[in-house]
Amino acid sequence: MIFDIKRYSINDGPGIRVTVFFKGCPLNCAWCHNPESISTNVQKMYNRDKCMGCGGCVQFCPEQVCERTPEGIVTRRDRCSGCGRCADICPTRATEMSGRAATVEEIVEAVEKERIFFDQSGGGVTFSGGEPLLQPEFLISLLREFGSRSIHRAVDTTGFARTETLLEVAKHTDHFLYDIKLMDSTKHKKWTGVDNKKILNNLKALAETGASINIRVPLVKGVNDDIPNISRTASFVAALPGEKKKVNVLPYHNIMIAKHRKLGSSFSAQEMAEPTAEELENIINIFTEQGLAVQTGG
């Protein structure tokens, strides 16, 4: 199950890349900018601003769960089967379905079309999500196929998986983008739904293999931008086996608000914000003092 294939991506590994987004994630991060990636199910997304009110979705819905109201089309989601008929007939694409089954052959075909950009930029294909390690057999099949085609392979992961799965994937992966969100396990569980013991232990195990790893740290004001957490994060990363890891700090943004609205899910960003420029500079200095190369974004 995937929910998107993004071409000409420049922030998901080296060079120009194609990013394949897997659907389903064991974490439920409060700031997740792809909330449609969390569930493994096909989900309906509705954009009222694009809706012309033609009523085709109401007329042709086989379950009759779509209703036209003054607020736009309302779907009784508890009865919706996710068949996608409403999206198929929507003339403005106000309704879309997030999530679909894909084959190795289909993804290979899509990626191969962009090979010229890989060759010129040192790019390749990145598997992101969601969490690609939730579908290990499919992921490994893709990694093997692209390896046989000499296309650079990156995996963007939360690290929340069986260690055996991660290390098997590592055998077929050229580069990892690995998230560290919070060092305190209790806070990690509060904000993501899981504790971080497995994530941190897996990162150590992965580093011990000599894998190429970039560390990604989302920065959310009021969640994980405090100096104690950043200092612990920097110390942990600096102590990892192998060469010093490059760190990408990713300031919070609220793009997820519109996506939650499309999904019909509730969301509150009141406790979260982007760190100020001064706070960001202080955070970067903490990482550089540990001898780590740091980049904002990417």
Side-chain angles (χ1 to χ4, degrees), residues 6-11 15-19 114 117-118:
K6 179 182 178 184
R7 294 164 177 83
Y8 209 84
S9 173
I10 57 173
N11 293 313
I16 298 171
R17 311 188 69 80
V18 173
T19 302
E114 312 300 317
F117 298 111
F118 308 157

Side-chain angles (χ1 to χ4, degrees), residues 47-234:
N47 185 346
R48 181 187 175 188
D49 294 337
K50 294 173 67 175
C51 181
M52 60 186 290
C54 68
C57 54
V58 177
Q59 180 180 356
F60 292 104
C61 174
E63 283 95 18
Q64 297 185 332
V65 298
C66 297
E67 179 182 356
R68 184 160 39 187
T69 75
E71 289 73 40
I73 302 298
V74 173
T75 301
R76 286 170 283 184
R77 294 177 184 267
D78 59 328
R79 290 175 49 195
C80 177
S81 68
C83 71
R85 177 64 176 149
C86 52
D88 292 340
I89 57 92
C90 183
T92 62
R93 296 183 61 82
T95 297
E96 298 180 86
M97 306 307 292
S98 176
R100 62 184 177 86
T103 64
V104 171
E105 292 75 19
E106 174 190 351
I107 292 176
V108 167
E109 182 180 359
V111 172
E112 279 284 6
K113 292 178 180 178
E114 312 300 317
R115 183 187 278 269
I116 185 174
F117 298 111
F118 308 157
D119 295 341
Q120 294 177 353
S121 70
V125 59
T126 297
F127 301 103
S128 185
E131 174 50 71
L133 296 181
L134 269 186
Q135 302 179 59
E137 294 84 5
F138 185 45
L139 175 61
I140 290 171
S141 294
L142 286 163
L143 291 169
R144 284 175 170 159
E145 181 62 32
F146 286 115
S148 71
R149 294 167 181 264
S150 299
I151 292 177
H152 185 272
R153 304 154 297 176
V155 173
D156 182 4
T157 180
T158 66
F160 193 83
R162 293 174 65 247
T163 304
E164 295 81 5
T165 297
L166 175 63
L167 297 185
E168 182 61 30
V169 166
K171 296 175 183 177
H172 312 283
T173 301
D174 300 302
H175 185 64
F176 282 91
L177 307 171
Y178 201 108
D179 293 354
I180 297 181
K181 306 174 193 301
L182 282 148
M183 294 302 295
D184 181 271
S185 187
T186 301
K187 290 182 179 178
H188 195 282
K189 188 168 185 177
K190 171 187 174 182
W191 289 102
T192 73
V194 303
D195 68 38
N196 63 1
K197 182 178 179 180
K198 182 182 295 186
I199 293 168
L200 298 180
N201 287 342
N202 276 348
L203 179 53
K204 290 179 183 177
L206 183 62
E208 287 172 355
T209 70
S212 173
I213 308 170
N214 267 37
I215 305 299
R216 283 182 160 184
V217 182
L219 292 178
V220 187
K221 188 176 178 65
V223 176
N224 70 343
D225 68 327
D226 57 281
I227 298 304
N229 178 65
I230 297 301
S231 296
R232 286 183 64 188
T233 304

Side-chain angles (χ1 to χ4, degrees), residues 218-257:
L219 292 178
V220 187
K221 188 176 178 65
V223 176
N224 70 343
D225 68 327
D226 57 281
I227 298 304
N229 178 65
I230 297 301
S231 296
R232 286 183 64 188
T233 304
S235 296
F236 180 86
V237 174
L240 288 171
E243 296 182 356
K244 293 283 189 181
K245 308 297 183 275
K246 181 178 178 181
V247 177
N248 295 88
V249 291
L250 312 174
Y252 166 87
H253 56 76
N254 63 3
I255 189 175
M256 80 291 289
I257 295 176

